[in-house]
Amino acid sequence: MDYMDSGMRYTPKPDKDWDTSVQFLPASDTKKLEKKKGPGRIGAVVGVVVFAAVLSLMTGLLVWHFHYRKDVREKRMYTGSMRITNQVFEQAYENSNSTEFKALAKQVAEQLKTIYSKTPQLAKYYVGSTVEAFSEGVVAYYLSEFKVPVGQAAAVDSAMASMDKLVDKAQRTAHRPGNALVFEDVVSSGVSSVFISCFTIYFYDYTQHTRANHIGTITSPGFPNTPYPPNTYIQWQLRADPGYVIKLDFDTFNLEEDCKNDFVKLYDSLVAIESRAMEEICGYYSPSDPLSFLSSRNVMLVTLVTSEKGNYPGIRAHVSQVQKGGAGMKCGGKIIGPQGAFMSPNFPNYYPPNTECEWKIEVPAGKWISVIFSKFLLFEPGQNGKDCTKDYVAVNSKKLCGEKVGQVAETVSSNVATIRFVSDRSFVDRGFNATFKAIDSLDPCPKMFQCKNQLCMDLKLKCDGWNDCGDMSDELNCKCNESDLQCKNGLCKPMFWQCDGVNDCGDNTDELNCGCKADQFLCLNSACVLKKKRCDGRDDCGDGSDELDCGRTTSTPCNDVTYKCKNQMCINKQNPECDGTTDCADGSDEENCDCGQRLLRFKGSRIVGGQEAEQGEFPWQVSLHVKAYGHVCGASVISRRWLVTAAHCVQDDGKIKFSQPRTWEAHLGVHTQRMPGKAVVKLGLKQVIPHPYYNAYTYDNDIALMELASDVAFSDYIQPICLPAAQHVFPSGTTVSITGWGATREGGSAASVLQKAQVRIINGTVCNRLMSNQITSRMLCAGILSGGVDACQGDSGGPLSSLASPASEGGRSFLAGVVSWGDGCARRNKPGIYSTVTKFRGWIKEKTGV
Ligand SMILES: *[C@@H]1O[C@H](CO)[C@@H](O)[C@H](O)[C@H]1NC(C)=O
Ligand SMILES: *[C@@H]1O[C@H](CO)[C@@H](O)[C@H](O)[C@H]1NC(C)=O
Ligand SMILES: *[C@@H]1O[C@H](CO)[C@@H](O)[C@H](O)[C@H]1NC(C)=O
Ligand SMILES: *[C@@H]1O[C@H](CO)[C@@H](O)[C@H](O)[C@H]1NC(C)=O
Ligand SMILES: [Ca+2]
Ligand SMILES: [Ca+2]
């Protein structure tokens, strides 16, 4: 069959114009339906029924086909594009029904036929070609089909892989008619077998031409009411006006985690040519981690492929056009001066493919140049970190590529430098942000320490136990301060990592002499018993802790360390509450467990040192505002009605009656201060209950309860945190999170976006020693884990959240502590002090019923 005679495209003559229809694409059928508007559900249902019928029919046919036919040939399809250099684009080429389109498409197909007929590996198997679309340039997008005997497939693939050479050869040698089209920039790639094999899939195709000042929207089918359908291939062919590029901004991206199943793939093309793929994306992206892309020309193809199960809400993206080289895309130029900054186009969003920028930097004569990349993300599949043959940045002749953690410094030993950024035709990333400054060649880091990797660090950060340089060079050859721990291997570590069960030195020096001998077990009451006495059915510790977690959960005599079920029976499992396993005979350990879970999904940020939380990541975080003052303290949601905060937040202070409910307004669901949003709920208070034994001098019992004036409705952004049982153990060495806007009661908020930091629980004995015996059993110490600058994330009253097991495994967060003192911040070399929530579990229950 000659496709040219059958209407140019694989488009069927639609028997009925269901705007809501769904088409499938079986092996023997290459139809597809082009539509303008979104599909409906009726079509999908019809499609499923038809699909089932066709599938069973086809299974029969295929069995027959493969078992009883001898000359088995398989169908292979190749998609590609090329530029026609001797044609001028006409508007009519956008419409595949126009006579202009048909005439040019016919000519392209005929020339393709000629090219294939001159190639022995292809001529015999060629079936036909069809032109899918044209875009400015003039670029033709085509699809060619071959019927290849099994066994010849590799030869055809390799011939097609050098399609550009075939075209060149044909154009050089042939006796060509004067009006022949001249092709350039020819690329071709095989069409994934998924689309032409015996699998039947639903197929949707949309086209959209964006105009000036117009923002179009694309959504996955069913969005936002239903999950996207299974076994579907959807493509959106996007066009913009000449001289413009497509800007695609996802405001929702929520797919399955594994790209093997469901994914979105973007192309810098109108058809799915592998060498024009821009990015393949799956999983979840928070709205605060936006995905925004630019094409290199006025076309883009967005595809969504879904597998047979595990369907998520889907995607929504906005499509607009921006002038090529316009705002945000400008790059390169000359920068003269002692310092300056530059970044990749569209930073911090994805740079466009096929882009080159060149900066000429000049600092005062006699100086050298230090270039510091604060972010460097140029990841590309198949890119070798050494050769940098794809996307790269070159500082003079030194090429950098790939994804770099932390800062990267490059020193240029001259007062002029050329920086080039190149992105090739495929795969893009978020790019880089860089600053440069003039340096003195004799003293490149004045009054600072120079790391091996050329970064400059504050002298205070040398030998302080944190790897600030990123290459450890600030922590080698140290003579430790006497307040620090001297590891045997020469490293210095903050004293508070001693005896916390984590090997910080690397040679375990910090964990020696920590109470028990190697063959001993450390009881919860700090006694040591022989390891072989553990789980032998007898209480050797004295508090029963050697008989906890001994495999099978059984009931056991009640004591201080055992969990008590509602029926007053005790069990020998540590932290059994809300862990997803019913341990109590009456099931009470799994009651009231609607807490501590994030409804949204979060992925670990690739950007190291980024300390902003994502929206909805800590939905129990509350911002307590004093009317007229703004944010002054943090708190945690523990139920629809109750919050937990610090007692020192609610002490009267001269003019302001912090103890009075009417002074306060609780803001729930806040991500950015002073930015109202749909997620934010503001409520007054009905009562404030500080702990009766709160001691304003020692900060002992620094905890308070707040009753909201009315119940709050939970949402993706407002959820309660789980309260730990009185016997819950948060061992020293456990990594937990603190969050807040960095405010003290006296000052306003320091950060506008909620900040997070990881801290580690410090051994209480060690902490008490470091803090000159100020630590009571109602206090918990934790120290900041990340290096770099001082982090001040916690707000007084805010949560110390402990995730019981990874969130992806359904792990819940427990409120381990309430930020109490130690500046309300976690400073490096200074532990933060938290109220131990387990000690107040009975009191909270008594006052709130929670
Ligand atoms: C092309 O023509 C068919 C039938 O005449 C019509 O249904 C279809 O909408 C047209 N397509 C375009 C892109 O104009
Ligand atoms: C780039 O980095 C500089 C310095 O690190 C910073 O001030 C600036 O805000 C960054 N720009 C963007 C867009 O992130
Ligand atoms: C050593 O510790 C003392 C006391 O904590 C501190 O004041 C001093 O700055 C530290 N010195 C260094 C080099 O870190
Ligand atoms: C805490 O450190 C002390 C020694 O300073 C040690 O005896 C004790 O066992 C440690 N506690 C834990 C829980 O590791
Ligand atoms: Ca350091
Ligand atoms: Ca340690």
Side-chain angles (χ1 to χ4, degrees), residues 762-780:
I762 298 170
N763 175 324
T765 316
V766 172
C767 187
N768 193 35
R769 200 172 65 226
L770 294 176
M771 303 303 287
S772 326
N773 293 320
Q774 299 177 72
I775 304 301
T776 71
S777 67
R778 285 146 317 263
M779 297 174 192
L780 183 71

Side-chain angles (χ1 to χ4, degrees), residues 498-501 513-516 522 526 732 763-766 769:
Q498 210 183 12
C499 299
D500 67 347
N513 309 318
C514 289
C516 296
L522 176 63
S526 289
S732 59
N763 175 324
T765 316
V766 172
R769 200 172 65 226

